[in-house]
Amino acid sequence: MANPTDRLCPACYAIVAEGARYCGQCGAAALPVLTPPADTTRDASQPQHDGDTATLAVLSAARTTPPPPPPPGAFDTPDDPYPPSSVALGVVAALFVPFLSLVAALLLRSNESVPARRDQLRKWAIGSGVWLVTGWILSMLAVGLVIGSAGGSDGECSGGIDRLVAPQFVSTDQVHWDATYACVNGGHLTKPARPNQVRGF
């Protein structure tokens, strides 16, 4: 059986011995050995197997196909806090509507994944809760002080001042006077007297 590298006689197709110029069987001139020219355009570093064409096609497609776009938020700063305007709005909301501000802070924090923003929302919730409690306490104290100052120093007046009974004026230095009023349902009320209430003041 002939090998792919053997020369065959063009007349009788017999195998021609290596180096012989004529066929040993029919005497016909043998064809010279043709050496294929070297491919100077081929890179020696490229693979030399049958899959070169497929590999080159894949590489060419990879070079010409643009990469997919980045996902949304890929270039966002991973630890970007809320801007100062949002912080100021949260402070105003905590002062005027602390309960709603507390609820909003807790809801936003449950859906937030940025650490800096979660910390800001935590502080917002704490501040809103503290102001929600202390605000009511301060309001009650303020109302109590107003009522106490309006009710006089004794605080034992029942039913309001009896306008039919004249007040009694007392002074320790003849300069500063206190007026004591009788109350309708009992008790009395002492308040600083106005200058026009005391004769000769």
Side-chain angles (χ1 to χ4, degrees), residues 29-184:
L31 297 176
V33 178
L34 299 178
T35 303
D39 188 0
T40 58
T41 61
R42 188 185 187 90
D43 190 356
S45 62
Q46 293 181 354
Q48 303 292 329
H49 50 76
D50 296 338
D52 287 352
T53 303
T55 303
L56 292 177
V58 172
L59 294 177
S60 177
R63 292 173 182 174
T64 57
T65 303
F75 300 102
D76 292 346
T77 305
D79 199 17
D80 188 16
Y82 285 107
S85 58
S86 300
V87 176
L89 182 61
V91 172
V92 173
L95 291 177
F96 290 96
V97 282
F99 177 74
L100 297 179
S101 178
L102 175 61
V103 173
L106 294 177
L107 290 177
L108 290 175
R109 191 174 188 273
S110 63
N111 298 323
E112 185 58 64
S113 59
V114 179
R117 295 187 176 184
R118 286 181 58 86
D119 184 64
Q120 287 178 318
L121 293 172
R122 179 182 63 84
K123 294 178 181 179
W124 185 25
I126 293 175
S128 300
V130 171
W131 179 245
L132 179 63
V133 176
T134 58
W136 283 103
I137 296 177
L138 294 177
S139 299
M140 294 175 63
L141 290 177
V143 171
L145 291 175
V146 171
I147 295 176
S149 61
S153 58
D154 293 339
E156 300 175 359
C157 182
S158 178
I161 298 175
D162 189 352
R163 300 298 178 181
L164 301 177
V165 179
Q168 296 179 0
F169 298 97
V170 179
S171 176
T172 57
D173 56 2
Q174 300 299 317
V175 176
H176 301 91
W177 294 81
D178 292 332
T180 302
Y181 300 90
C183 298
V184 176

